[in-house]
Amino acid sequence: EVLLVESGGGSVQPGGSLGLSCAASGFTFNNFAMSWVRQAPGKGLEWVSSITGNGDITFYADSVKGRFTASRDNSNNRLYLHMNSLRAEDTAVYFCARFAVSIHSFDVWGQGTMVTVSS
Amino acid sequence: EIVLTQSPGTLSLSPGERVTLSCKASQYVTSSYLAWYQQKPGQAPRLLIYGASTRAAGIPDRFSGSGSGTDFTLTINRLEPEDFAVYYCQQCGSSPWTFGQGTKVEIK
């Protein structure tokens, strides 16, 4: 079974840092680009970041550029998102998603992990 | 940035009805890069349609997608109880990748 499981969410004060992890299983991890997509409470979906299969290229939304860093460990089938200088507007459920280049879409999603930025 | 505008914001319908959801792009989107997702409360999104018109694996044939350029449509024939959800269109042809704001299909 193809599965993505996020972890690492929690509460943090504005200006703080947090790291998210996504464990992948059931597919050849390094064959796929991976992404983070977030959803603020009661709001729509926002693409955050993507990373290529071998991890050599990363892309970020302007809203997180310079503050968030995506990385991956292909030997352990894990995707990461390190978040610095967190703001209240970063409060959201963060989903990791597999990007299937062949169909140009997110074909597998994790269940999400909640990040709350509040004093 | 390509802005995707979905309409209407909310639809109130009964099971068995046919529904058409609209997604209009602020700039041209290559059909290959337009997808539709379904999201139910407390759940992750699920891929329904990719390439504007191709159903993803396991998606019932009552779901269909169409359109090109800047106008795309998701149609659901004969709404089933499990189809009441929020639907998002999304493009990955131009960075940043963007989602529409969503259309909620609720039970009348």
Side-chain angles (χ1 to χ4, degrees):
Chain A
E1 180 189 9
V2 175
L3 205 57
L4 297 173
V5 179
E6 301 93 337
S7 59
S11 293
V12 61
Q13 292 189 337
S17 300
L18 198 63
L20 305 182
S21 179
C22 172
S25 59
F27 64 100
T28 304
F29 186 61
N30 61 7
N31 281 354
F32 289 87
M34 298 293 295
S35 295
W36 291 97
V37 176
R38 69 184 179 182
Q39 187 169 38
K43 303 297 184 182
L45 301 169
E46 180 189 15
W47 169 76
V48 172
S49 177
S50 294
I51 184 168
T52 53
N54 61 10
D56 60 345
I57 302 175
T58 51
F59 306 88
Y60 300 96
D62 285 347
S63 58
V64 307
K65 200 173 293 182
R67 301 187 299 122
F68 289 13
T69 302
S71 62
R72 61 193 297 163
D73 178 353
N74 286 346
S75 61
N76 288 301
N77 294 343
R78 281 191 175 264
L79 172 71
Y80 301 100
L81 185 68
H82 189 71
M83 304 180 291
N84 289 329
S85 303
L86 283 161
R87 306 166 181 166
E89 54 264 36
D90 296 319
T91 294
V93 174
Y94 285 74
F95 297 99
C96 71
R98 187 177 82 172
F99 184 75
V101 172
S102 59
I103 60 173
H104 307 292
S105 54
F106 302 115
D107 66 339
V108 180
W109 295 70
Q111 85 289 349
T113 188
M114 183 70 203
V115 172
T116 302
V117 184
S118 173
S119 55
Chain B
E1 173 176 327
I2 295 179
V3 175
L4 299 177
T5 302
Q6 294 187 239
S7 60
T10 302
L11 276 169
S12 297
L13 297 164
S14 301
E17 290 195 85
R18 183 174 186 263
V19 57
T20 299
L21 311 180
S22 172
C23 173
K24 292 187 183 297
S26 61
Q27 302 172 42
Y28 179 88
V29 174
T30 302
S31 295
S32 302
Y33 301 127
L34 194 286
W36 289 91
Y37 301 86
Q38 176 195 66
Q39 187 180 33
K40 297 178 183 178
Q43 296 186 17
R46 176 174 73 145
L47 177 65
L48 293 178
I49 300 286
Y50 63 88
S53 60
T54 304
R55 280 187 301 277
I59 302 303
D61 60 7
R62 63 179 181 273
F63 291 91
S64 63
S66 63
S68 62
T70 59
D71 292 323
F72 298 91
T73 299
L74 175 70
T75 300
I76 312 172
N77 286 308
R78 301 180 310 278
L79 274 170
E80 297 286 342
E82 62 268 26
D83 299 337
F84 292 93
V86 179
Y87 293 85
Y88 295 95
C89 57
Q90 181 255 333
Q91 68 80 26
C92 63
S94 173
S95 183
W97 296 350
T98 50
F99 290 86
Q101 83 280 16
T103 290
K104 182 178 182 180
V105 178
E106 63 179 22
I107 298 177
K108 189 173 182 180

